[in-house]
Amino acid sequence: MEFFNNHTKLFGTAFLLFAALTLFVAIIPAISNQQNNAPLPNAVPLSDDARKGKELFIANGCVACHTQQVRNIDMDSRWGKRPGIAADYAAMKRMDIWRNTATLAGTERTGPDLTDIGNRQPSLDWNLVHLYNPRTVVKESVMPAYPWLFERKAMPSDSDVVVNVPEAFLGGKSGKVVAKPEALQLVAYLQSLKQAELPGESRAPEFLYKRVVKSTEESGGSESGVNGALLYTDNCQACHQADGKGLPGAFPPLANSPIVTGDDLSVYVDIIMNGYDARPEYGAMPGVGTMMGFTADDVAAIINHERSSWGNKGKEVTAEEVQEIITLLEADNK
Amino acid sequence: MEQMPNIYSLQLGWQEMTMVAFVVLLLVLLGVLLSLYHRVVHIRNNTGGGTDFRLKRHVEQFSSEQLEMLLQQKRRGTVKQKASPLSKKAVMFIAGLSAGLPAFAQETTASGIAWGNAGIVITLVLIGIPVLCGLVLMVIKIRRTLFRYQQRQNDALAGELAQYLDGLSDPEVLDNLAERKAALEYTLTHTELTGDVPVRDKRGLIASPRSDVNLPIAALKKRAVRRPNIDSQLAKLVLWYIGTSAFWLLFGTTVGQYLGIKFIAPDADQLSWLSFGRLRPVHTNAVFWGWASLGMLGLGHYIVPRVSNVPLASLRYGWYSLILINLTVLVGTVSLMAGINNGGGEYREYIWPIMLPFAVALALTLINFLKTIARRKTTEIYISNWYMISAIIFTIVIALVAYLPFWQNGLGEVIVQGYYMHQGVGMWFMLFTLGIVYYFLPQQLNKPIYSYSLGILAFWTQILFYTLIGTHHFIFSAIPWWLQTVAIVGSAGMVIPVVAGTTNFLLTFRGAWYKVKDSYTLPFFLAGIIFYFTGSLQGTAEAFRYTNLIWHFTDFTVAHSHLTMYGIISFLLWGSMYAVVPRLTGQEPPQLTVGAHFWFALIGLLFYTVPLMYGSTLKGLSWLEGKPFIDSVVLMAPYWLWRAIGGSLMWLSHLLFAYNLYKMFRTEPQSNIVETALAKLTDKTVSTAETR
């Protein structure tokens, strides 16, 4: 055909077709999304440290294994309270003249999603020791270690943040492990990753493809259908470990713990909901329950799991007892 | 524990496996029955019909030697009769039966039990093994008994035959037999067609006849056809492209292999420059922009002038592009290891100042190619050029869309990222490589492409559908739902160009399949074309919402990208390189190492991808079931190990590829004794002429 024997016409047509489709599926949607979305009013802008931490996150290619997108399907509900929306990304702009915008949405989930990691794992101590070598706290982890974010000091000063690394991971070298500013910045970024609350009465999109819940008998959960063991794995195990023995010098054991097996339920619930920092030999525990929005059912299931595991034999609690304490605690805090 | 609807519970199970085991057992039994039936029919044939009829039939089947013996005996007038001893009766097969039956009965009584239970299945398998052995034994026994029975029959028949022969005395019959003997002994003289004149190859049809043929380790393939030499300056340019691409292949896959090892040994090193997150983009970008891009462009510099029938417009532009692209990959690699990263978007990790030389190189190449095509001496623009030139144009567009800052804020970046990463793969690597195949496949098969029209259909539908599919990497994300749907529809539409392309290539093979076994380049093309079909359609399957639930975010994507970038692109590039380099240097690669390269790469790729796909399916299901995340990391361990094993084989094949290239590139020809001798002779004649 004459038309196709003319290279200008042939390649011109191909170019126009491709360019028009590109406009339609990439450029126009991209521009429309960046113009029609604004950050949520509750969203907290990155602090200086967190911003530097984000640059470290990009430089070290963390996005290769960690996504930052909660999809609107039920299996992603563990990564955030609601599915991600365009507004969550709206504050992200070009880093500088050299580097592009980094939404870090990611395409691989070899490691956990980090959209809400600031709520899920806020502990500075845990994050530092995990960065130094992830296998100190999660022995099955395949995440790289980042020892170059730390240094050794024989005599750390008071302003130094000392990391309690177990003996086996020190490589036989002497001196205390001290976090460099980079490590602290990276953790500051991770701690800043929290899903912002939707304002006022706007409803979050729903999670699709809901799981069909089987009868509680088979699931091994409590009467309420909440699985205490799973909640423990997802929220507590990173620090207190699967064997409930914690990590000496960093996280206290729950096996044989007087608080777990004892009778003072209100202290126990208070720690789960609001955290604990009364013992200098251990790191501070953040208020996991409040951050994760635990219900009385959740807390009761966790308590019952912890009281019946690792040789613990504590009294079983009901959701009603827990609810009473939570209500009291909330009243105290006000 | 909660459970998903049935579609996802892919717990391929014990039930299915039991079924398969039963089917296999049935098939074995069927085979046994057929074999017995065959035996019985054979015996019946030998015993059927009247005695006379049977005896005559035997006489008809006599060979000439047997006839000679018979006639001699007749002449002597004596025929001796041999008595044959009766074979013993054997009813052992009943014992065989009784040995097998009880065990078999055991198996069938087990119904009504939970078949799915692993313990039950293992038990059944354990029972099945002796049952199967018993069956085999029984069959052997029965066959042996039947064989003895048949032998007895034969003996009896032989006695009758001897008597019959003894009784033959009719001269007419004997004459007939003598005539038959003469007819049977007729042979050709073997010179009917050739005549008695000694053989001469007047037209030089036979190349290097060999009389010392030993048993070869591998089948001998055809040698490349010598072609008129192409411009040695162009040859040098193309060889540099291919040489540097091979370097980046070796470098990039060495890095990739190390990354695979890090999944098994995360503490293999703890250096910042070698940490996983930094090395991963080093691997992908090196094989993308270094290996595949340089390889494609090198072949493009050969093809465009060939099919336009004119010299390349500018060699200098070609050299500039070569240098610029190598510069990009070199600087990009170092910068990524040093922690300079554009923003984490896949394949977009080089910052723009580093990617700029690559874009300039593309623009130079485009000008160069277009100028060449504008001067072409053919009316048509050959379809290879459609694909290759368009690929370059589109990639410039893609790079601009990806790196210009006007639409990259917030979710805009995600939309552009989806577009960019898939257009980069489909419009650059795939489109360009298809252009290469449209040139080299017909050339290597020595026949035209099956259908030009199918090629054109595939071309336009590829543009139409492929451009739409980018956002299928972000299904269920915050990207507008309609855009996700468009991407899914586009992915489904990709069936059209893929099927059209595959059909076109496979039908080009039609009538020339026999050439595959004689060629060391065609297996690469064939493998590439098959992966083109399977890999691309797998992409379509992965794009649907349901499959996204299971496979998205898992290593399935990694397996898919290796099936395509490696199975399709790399295999097709290798085939083309093995086709073109001997033409440029006049030296062929050792066929043995080319074969080893092919098989290591193919087997390695399968070891890499199949376990990874299986494992990541389990991973996705464990996420769906809401199991703790760390469980999904633990369950991948064996599949990651297999991936590393497959990766090692692939890496080994690249060493062989580099060795083959070295053998082809070597400038000092090792076997040109003849030419050296001739040169010496000419020198001698010249010098003697001068001294005179």
Side-chain angles (χ1 to χ4, degrees):
Chain A
M1 218 195 307
E2 173 51 36
F3 180 79
F4 294 129
N5 289 340
N6 179 324
H7 58 271
T8 323
K9 285 181 186 165
L10 171 67
F11 296 126
T13 315
F15 164 73
L16 284 179
L17 177 59
F18 182 71
L21 289 168
T22 296
L23 217 58
F24 166 67
V25 295
I27 295 179
I28 293 175
I31 291 178
S32 120
N33 265 284
Q34 80 177 28
Q35 284 181 346
N36 298 330
N37 285 300
L40 292 170
N42 298 327
V44 185
L46 288 184
S47 66
D48 278 352
D49 269 357
R51 192 190 153 81
K52 284 185 186 138
K54 181 175 182 179
E55 287 178 10
L56 282 162
F57 189 90
I58 297 165
N60 288 298
C62 307
V63 71
C65 299
H66 296 287
T67 52
Q68 285 186 35
Q69 46 169 319
V70 180
R71 298 174 295 170
N72 56 350
I73 48 180
D74 198 47
M75 65 190 278
D76 270 26
S77 60
R78 66 166 67 173
W79 305 123
K81 292 185 248 341
R82 58 169 173 82
I85 54 175
D88 293 334
Y89 301 94
M92 297 175 182
K93 300 259 156 60
R94 205 172 171 80
M95 306 283 289
D96 51 38
I97 190 169
W98 307 110
R99 285 172 298 177
N100 196 7
T101 315
T103 56
L104 302 168
T107 50
E108 280 271 323
R109 209 173 259 172
T110 308
D113 183 273
L114 299 182
T115 309
D116 205 32
I117 189 70
N119 277 326
R120 209 166 58 244
Q121 185 46 275
S123 159
L124 174 70
D125 306 79
W126 185 89
N127 271 305
L128 285 175
V129 77
H130 182 253
L131 277 178
Y132 183 79
N133 190 328
R135 280 153 292 286
T136 51
V137 277
V138 186
K139 66 175 192 301
E140 304 90 348
S141 173
V142 293
M143 179 171 145
Y146 294 89
W148 64 89
L149 300 176
F150 300 84
E151 57 193 330
R152 296 297 180 103
K153 282 191 182 169
M155 300 292 285
S157 68
D158 283 350
S159 60
D160 283 335
V161 180
V162 178
V163 185
N164 284 319
V165 178
E167 190 65 34
F169 290 89
L170 287 173
K173 278 183 271 179
S174 63
K176 295 277 185 192
V177 176
V178 173
K180 284 193 201 168
E182 287 90 338
L184 297 172
Q185 287 159 358
L186 190 49
V187 175
Y189 173 62
L190 294 174
Q191 286 173 329
S192 79
L193 293 174
K194 294 179 178 176
Q195 257 188 338
E197 298 264 338
L198 290 183
E201 292 170 6
S202 43
R203 265 181 44 224
E206 274 184 43
F207 285 113
L208 308 175
Y209 299 93
K210 289 265 190 248
R211 271 175 292 187
V212 182
V213 180
K214 269 198 197 167
S215 68
T216 49
E217 236 175 294
E218 281 179 60
S219 67
S222 67
E223 284 166 39
S224 56
V226 181
N227 187 336
L230 193 64
L231 279 171
Y232 179 83
T233 317
D234 282 350
N235 300 291
C236 321
Q237 183 171 309
C239 294
H240 296 293
Q241 302 295 306
D243 56 9
K245 286 187 181 145
L247 206 63
F251 312 115
L254 299 184
N256 281 327
S257 149
I259 290 183
V260 174
T261 50
D263 290 330
D264 195 348
L265 193 59
S266 58
V267 175
Y268 197 177
V269 174
D270 190 16
I271 291 175
I272 293 180
M273 292 305 287
N274 300 318
Y276 192 63
D277 191 17
R279 296 171 70 178
E281 73 269 35
Y282 291 120
M285 172 162 164
V288 178
T290 312
M291 282 173 174
M292 298 304 294
F294 281 169
T295 62
D297 279 333
D298 295 337
V299 176
I302 292 174
I303 289 178
N304 286 332
H305 171 72
E306 289 175 353
R307 282 189 164 177
S308 58
S309 307
W310 323 298
N312 285 351
K313 285 187 187 76
K315 208 173 75 189
E316 196 164 322
V317 296
T318 64
E320 287 73 36
E321 292 172 67
V322 174
Q323 183 60 54
E324 227 169 89
I325 295 167
I326 291 179
T327 321
L328 273 175
L329 289 170
E330 274 170 1
D332 280 357
N333 287 345
K334 267 174 194 163
Chain B
M1 217 19 96
E2 300 95 308
Q3 204 196 22
M4 278 302 298
N6 266 340
I7 327 169
Y8 316 120
S9 61
L10 237 181
Q11 284 147 2
L12 235 190
W14 297 111
Q15 233 143 351
E16 284 83 348
M17 278 164 65
T18 329
M19 287 298 290
V20 170
F22 269 119
V23 171
V24 170
L25 202 68
L26 280 179
L27 283 178
V28 170
L29 275 177
L30 197 69
V32 167
L33 283 178
L34 276 175
S35 141
L36 285 178
Y37 176 73
H38 180 253
R39 226 347 121 175
V40 170
V41 166
H42 189 70
I43 293 176
R44 195 184 294 153
N45 277 350
N46 279 346
T47 51
T51 320
D52 263 13
F53 171 75
R54 271 188 284 138
L55 294 176
K56 269 190 188 151
R57 212 179 55 193
H58 277 290
V59 178
E60 276 165 21
Q61 285 166 353
F62 272 26
S63 71
S64 73
E65 288 84 14
Q66 289 165 331
L67 284 171
E68 169 70 27
M69 234 170 85
L70 174 63
L71 291 172
Q72 270 179 11
Q73 291 281 21
K74 282 288 157 196
R75 268 175 238 133
R76 274 187 237 147
T78 51
V79 179
K80 275 185 186 168
Q81 198 183 335
K82 262 204 291 183
S84 58
L86 285 178
S87 58
K88 283 180 196 163
K89 256 191 183 176
V91 261
M92 287 293 284
F93 77 94
I94 292 168
L97 261 178
S98 55
L101 276 177
F104 189 71
Q106 244 178 11
E107 191 178 357
T108 46
T109 50
S111 66
I113 295 177
W115 291 97
N117 191 301
I120 300 276
V121 175
I122 292 170
T123 317
L124 285 181
V125 170
L126 291 178
I127 293 172
I129 292 168
V131 168
L132 211 65
C133 292
L135 280 175
V136 170
L137 198 68
M138 180 181 81
V139 171
I140 292 173
K141 294 269 182 200
I142 293 176
R143 279 184 68 101
R144 197 176 290 163
T145 312
L146 284 172
F147 180 74
R148 289 209 197 99
Y149 173 67
Q150 190 185 6
Q151 208 137 43
R152 208 153 41 91
Q153 295 273 329
N154 286 353
D155 280 342
L157 206 61
E160 286 174 38
L161 183 61
Q163 272 180 353
Y164 169 75
L165 293 178
D166 196 19
L168 277 184
S169 51
D170 186 352
E172 201 182 323
V173 175
L174 289 177
D175 281 352
N176 276 348
L177 287 177
E179 209 174 294
R180 171 86 183 138
K181 180 172 173 277
L184 283 175
E185 279 170 357
Y186 176 79
T187 54
L188 291 171
T189 60
H190 299 302
T191 52
E192 280 85 357
L193 294 173
T194 54
D196 299 330
V197 188
V199 178
R200 258 185 214 149
D201 180 17
K202 282 183 192 163
R203 288 170 194 161
L205 295 176
I206 297 165
S208 59
R210 292 176 56 183
S211 50
D212 57 334
V213 186
N214 295 319
L215 208 57
I217 297 171
L220 203 64
K221 309 275 180 169
K222 272 194 185 147
R223 301 180 64 83
V225 185
R226 277 304 281 255
R227 305 279 299 176
N229 287 338
I230 72 160
D231 173 16
S232 65
Q233 289 306 305
L234 177 66
K236 195 174 164 197
L237 176 65
V238 173
L239 290 178
W240 265 93
Y241 268 101
I242 293 176
T244 49
S245 80
F247 167 76
W248 288 117
L249 174 72
L250 262 183
F251 172 79
T253 53
T254 306
V255 173
Q257 173 63 1
Y258 187 51
L259 287 171
I261 290 170
K262 286 200 158 203
F263 276 89
I264 304 157
D267 285 323
D269 75 76
Q270 298 189 345
L271 303 168
S272 62
W273 281 52
L274 298 181
S275 78
F276 181 87
R278 294 194 190 182
L279 276 189
R280 186 182 188 270
V282 168
H283 162 68
T284 52
N285 285 287
V287 292
F288 271 34
W289 315 125
W291 151 241
S293 300
L294 281 170
M296 285 175 354
L297 285 172
L299 296 165
H301 277 88
Y302 176 83
I303 298 169
V304 173
R306 280 290 100 17
V307 296
S308 304
N309 222 353
V310 282
L312 188 69
S314 165
L315 276 171
R316 203 167 350 128
Y317 274 25
W319 284 107
Y320 290 157
S321 302
L322 174 79
I323 293 164
L324 289 172
I325 295 176
N326 276 297
L327 189 71
T328 288
V329 187
L330 185 68
V331 180
T333 298
V334 176
S335 74
L336 283 177
M337 288 171 81
I340 301 168
N341 190 314
N342 188 34
E346 269 185 283
Y347 320 138
R348 201 156 51 138
E349 290 97 343
Y350 291 172
I351 55 173
W352 68 263
I354 294 176
M355 208 53 181
L356 191 62
F358 188 87
V360 173
L362 282 189
L364 287 179
T365 311
L366 179 65
I367 296 169
N368 200 5
F369 283 2
L370 277 178
K371 273 188 182 166
T372 312
I373 291 171
R375 290 181 204 161
R376 72 184 179 279
K377 294 209 180 106
T378 57
T379 323
E380 302 87 23
I381 302 165
Y382 184 63
I383 191 137
S384 283
N385 284 347
W386 289 41
Y387 279 88
M388 293 192 302
I389 306 295
S390 302
I392 301 175
I393 296 175
F394 296 170
T395 308
I396 294 172
V397 174
I398 294 160
L400 290 176
V401 173
Y403 277 91
L404 288 178
F406 314 117
W407 37 71
Q408 309 272 7
N409 287 346
L411 202 62
E413 192 264 353
V414 182
I415 295 173
V416 169
Q417 176 61 26
Y419 167 85
Y420 167 78
M421 63 202 266
H422 220 109
Q423 298 315 303
V425 176
M427 288 305 186
W428 174 234
F429 298 110
M430 197 63 245
L431 205 61
F432 202 106
T433 304
L434 284 174
I436 292 172
V437 178
Y438 273 106
Y439 176 78
F440 277 110
L441 185 67
Q443 186 223 43
Q444 290 296 298
L445 286 168
N446 201 19
K447 64 196 290 252
I449 195 82
Y450 169 73
S451 162
Y452 213 75
S453 320
L454 266 182
I456 292 170
L457 171 79
F459 177 77
W460 293 111
T461 46
Q462 166 114 0
I463 299 175
L464 180 61
F465 291 120
Y466 215 124
T467 319
L468 307 179
I469 68 181
T471 32
H472 76 196
H473 288 270
F474 296 101
I475 302 286
F476 297 126
S477 74
I479 284 180
W481 193 258
W482 69 267
L483 197 56
Q484 299 178 24
T485 309
V486 167
I488 297 171
V489 172
S491 310
M494 275 309 290
V495 172
I496 299 174
V498 169
V499 170
T502 315
T503 314
N504 207 3
F505 296 143
L506 288 182
L507 286 176
T508 305
F509 272 99
R510 194 174 59 167
W513 284 106
Y514 67 92
K515 289 188 178 171
V516 176
K517 69 175 168 50
D518 285 341
S519 162
Y520 55 81
T521 58
L522 286 174
F524 285 99
F525 284 105
L526 190 59
I529 291 163
I530 291 168
F531 281 124
Y532 176 49
F533 184 74
T534 56
S536 306
L537 290 190
Q538 186 190 49
T540 300
E542 279 182 81
F544 297 119
R545 291 208 168 92
Y546 283 121
T547 43
N548 254 275
L549 289 177
I550 303 174
W551 290 331
H552 195 44
F553 292 147
T554 68
D555 296 272
F556 202 91
T557 323
V558 180
H560 171 68
S561 64
H562 281 81
L563 273 179
T564 48
M565 275 304 294
Y566 195 86
I568 306 174
I569 308 290
S570 297
F571 269 81
L572 293 175
L573 288 183
W574 284 323
S576 309
M577 286 175 182
Y578 282 129
V580 78
V581 177
R583 283 166 191 241
L584 301 178
T585 63
Q587 295 190 85
E588 289 192 54
Q591 294 187 354
L592 197 66
T593 43
V594 177
H597 168 199
F598 175 78
W599 287 111
F600 278 141
L602 185 64
I603 295 169
L605 178 61
L606 294 178
F607 274 6
Y608 184 109
T609 51
V610 175
L612 212 50
M613 287 190 281
Y614 182 76
S616 50
T617 307
L618 296 181
K619 188 180 195 175
L621 289 172
S622 110
W623 288 351
L624 268 171
E625 287 165 17
K627 296 211 178 121
F629 185 84
I630 195 70
D631 287 9
S632 70
V633 177
V634 174
L635 79 84
M636 281 305 288
Y639 309 106
W640 281 333
L641 180 62
W642 274 109
R643 184 246 297 269
I645 293 169
S648 309
L649 288 176
M650 288 152 78
W651 184 75
L652 196 63
S653 84
H654 306 154
L655 288 183
L656 292 167
F657 171 61
Y659 171 77
N660 292 336
L661 270 190
Y662 162 75
K663 289 297 250 187
M664 290 189 284
F665 275 25
R666 258 205 327 198
T667 39
E668 69 279 13
Q670 84 260 49
S671 62
N672 264 347
I673 303 166
V674 184
E675 272 181 23
T676 325
L678 282 177
K680 275 184 183 165
L681 197 66
T682 330
D683 281 353
K684 212 168 156 188
T685 332
V686 170
S687 59
T688 40
E690 273 170 0
T691 46
R692 254 178 215 165

